[in-house]
Amino acid sequence: MRALDGPLPGGPSEAGDVLAFLDGYGSPATVASAGGRYFGFVTGGALPATLAAQYLAAAWDQNSFSFVSSPAVACFEATALRWVKEALGLPAAAEGALVTGATMANFTCLAAARNHLLVRAGWDVDRQGLFGAPDLPVVVGGEAHASLFKTLSLLGLGRERVLRAEADDQGRLRADRLPRIDGPAIVCIQAGNVNSGAFDPAEEVVAWARQRETWVHVDGAFGLWALASDELAPLARGFSGADSWATDAHKWLNVPYDSGIALVRDPEALARAMSISGSYLLASEHRDAMNVTPDSSRRARALEVWAALKALGRSGLTEMVERSCRQARRIAEGLQAGGAEILNEVVLNQVVACFGDDSRTQLVIAAVQNDGTCWCGGTVWKGRAAMRISVSSWATSDDDIARSIAAILRARESI
Ligand SMILES: *Cc1c(COP(=O)(O)O)cnc(C)c1O
């Protein structure tokens, strides 16, 4: 990293030398997140077809802001979005946007929600901005993801004016603790808590929202992919009844960074918020991405989403998601049998483990990271320091799971 501290080169270098420098100095300073034993954050890997699709897209150098700037990417994008809706059982008429990640997908959906609800209340945010607008309450669960508050702040809805509904011991919003609201509002629910993997009770929240002209938005950064599995249907119940959905492709769908997906049930609501011209009547006969996303010029991330779904097919997607969940349960059982305490109900791909008091748990996490067999990070869950293990890579084999359990238990013994 010190080698990078040099001045701006005065003249050109050979491309091969540039690459040799990148590899020589860059590669050793990366984390091995492409491998099967990386369980940090919620990361996922990159399916081979998606990685090669990214090379191809970069070589094409397409600007995918409109149909005319890249007919190929526009068509792959339309198909990729259609396939995502089909795979997840979401309404076929929903319009979508491919963006950088779940943060921007949440932003995109919530901008559509905000503009739609305020227009119905007689206020055109697009033209007038928010100053002087009618009140628009936002309800989130007590364990909403940190990035959601950033998007609310970017949207002028404020980090701190949100109403927080208490969460239960698994981090699920409690439907019986939703606030009293009379007029229009936005309620954000989660498919997949970033620590426990728990799902909010969508069915109850959607029923509550229907009585109040309230927009239900789903942050399903990784968990939304559970909708692709019949096995996980009990968790996923009710989520398709929401008004908008945000998810990541770069987490559980296993495409390279950066890649997120926003879907909005009412296509006009999305176009109203994102149209470049300020008119939601689309100017061209084709779908132009600049009218449904926050971006104009953008890379062809549609190719990777398309390649993932083409390579996996419906059965491969379901199998990948269910395999991660099975492997997470195996880790939880293995660690518990070795004396660790599992703090969450392992309903999805996330495991939260403790190894005694906070300082002991932190020492075990450090020992695991030093050992290098696998990588797990730390978190705080219900006031306790914990190890968070996220199984979300296509590359994780059952042997990786067995080796990782052994490595974590070895680390625990060494403390
Ligand atoms: C990861 C995550 C986000 C943010 O996603 P990015 O892709 O990092 O923008 C939001 N919500 C949840 C639940 C997440 O897990």
Side-chain angles (χ1 to χ4, degrees):
M1 286 189 265
R2 268 196 308 278
L4 293 177
D5 211 13
L8 171 70
S13 297
E14 289 295 328
D17 293 341
V18 174
L19 264 293
F21 189 100
L22 279 171
D23 185 35
Y25 292 99
S27 296
T30 58
V31 299
S33 53
R37 294 189 301 279
Y38 186 83
F39 306 113
F41 311 97
V42 185
T43 297
L47 290 156
T50 70
L51 181 58
Q54 192 178 56
Y55 300 158
L56 186 61
W60 285 354
D61 191 30
Q62 300 290 280
N63 187 345
S64 64
F65 74 94
S66 72
F67 182 86
V68 290
S69 69
S70 182
V73 177
C75 292
F76 279 108
E77 184 158 331
T79 302
L81 285 167
R82 185 163 56 75
W83 285 357
V84 168
K85 288 182 282 184
E86 235 177 276
L88 301 181
L90 298 178
E95 180 57 278
L98 296 182
V99 292
T100 49
T103 303
M104 282 311 291
N106 282 325
F107 173 88
T108 303
C109 292
L110 292 171
R114 179 195 67 180
N115 291 20
H116 176 78
L117 293 172
L118 287 176
V119 160
R120 277 210 323 214
W123 187 270
D124 188 342
V125 190
D126 182 47
R127 293 196 169 80
Q128 296 168 277
L130 274 179
F131 297 100
D135 189 25
L136 181 59
V138 177
V139 183
V140 307
E143 292 281 350
H145 194 267
S147 66
L148 192 67
F149 297 92
K150 178 170 160 181
T151 65
L152 291 170
S153 125
L154 290 170
L155 288 161
L157 296 171
R159 290 173 190 263
E160 287 176 14
R161 65 180 278 290
V162 294
L163 305 168
R164 298 191 74 150
E166 189 184 324
D168 69 10
D169 62 337
Q170 297 299 312
R172 292 174 294 229
L173 173 156
R174 285 183 53 174
D176 62 347
R177 295 296 167 90
L178 286 163
R180 283 179 188 283
I181 285 177
D182 299 324
I186 299 171
V187 57
C188 302
I189 55 174
Q190 276 191 143
N193 175 282
V194 74
N195 286 306
S196 69
F199 281 50
D200 288 341
E203 221 163 29
E204 285 94 324
V205 175
V206 168
W208 175 86
R210 288 293 160 260
Q211 297 159 10
R212 290 169 176 79
E213 295 184 74
T214 288
W215 179 296
V216 180
H217 170 67
V218 178
D219 176 3
F222 58 99
L224 202 68
W225 297 98
L227 272 63
S229 155
D230 288 340
E231 215 172 80
L232 297 167
L235 277 185
R237 198 175 300 128
F239 280 91
S240 61
D243 298 289
S244 58
W245 305 264
T247 189
D248 268 317
H250 58 218
K251 288 179 179 166
W252 220 352
L253 187 61
N254 277 268
V255 310
Y257 292 96
D258 48 20
S259 192
I261 304 168
L263 293 166
V264 177
R265 178 184 293 277
D266 175 359
E268 206 174 281
L270 179 62
R272 192 194 290 282
M274 294 297 152
S275 159
I276 191 158
S277 64
S279 160
Y280 62 90
L281 298 172
L282 299 184
S284 113
E285 61 185 298
H286 299 291
R287 176 183 181 281
D288 288 324
M290 65 183 167
N291 287 318
V292 282
T293 76
D295 308 304
S296 292
S297 299
R298 56 209 271 278
R299 68 183 197 89
R301 58 177 68 84
L303 259 61
E304 301 138 20
V305 174
W306 183 90
L309 293 172
K310 175 76 172 165
L312 292 167
R314 188 190 284 279
S315 63
L317 175 65
T318 304
E319 200 277 327
M320 182 173 74
V321 166
E322 291 176 355
R323 175 167 22 110
S324 298
C325 296
R326 176 168 48 73
Q327 290 174 333
R329 287 194 299 272
R330 177 75 204 94
I331 288 191
E333 287 158 11
L335 294 185
Q336 200 160 31
E341 187 185 349
I342 304 300
L343 299 188
N344 66 320
E345 292 167 16
V346 182
V347 293
L348 201 68
N349 62 325
Q350 304 287 110
V351 180
V352 185
C354 265
F355 303 89
D357 62 18
D358 285 4
S359 65
R360 223 184 122 79
T361 295
Q362 271 150 358
L363 287 171
V364 174
I365 294 169
V368 166
Q369 292 178 359
N370 278 333
D371 167 67
T373 302
C374 63
W375 201 96
C376 307
T379 189
V380 175
W381 182 245
K382 301 290 171 190
R384 292 179 72 183
M387 176 189 283
R388 181 172 69 194
I389 304 156
S390 173
V391 187
S392 42
S393 176
W394 71 280
T396 301
S397 67
D398 290 348
D399 179 56
D400 286 326
I401 296 295
R403 286 176 63 187
S404 300
I405 293 169
I408 296 169
L409 293 178
R410 256 196 332 269
R412 174 177 175 271
E413 292 303 311
S414 76
I415 302 302

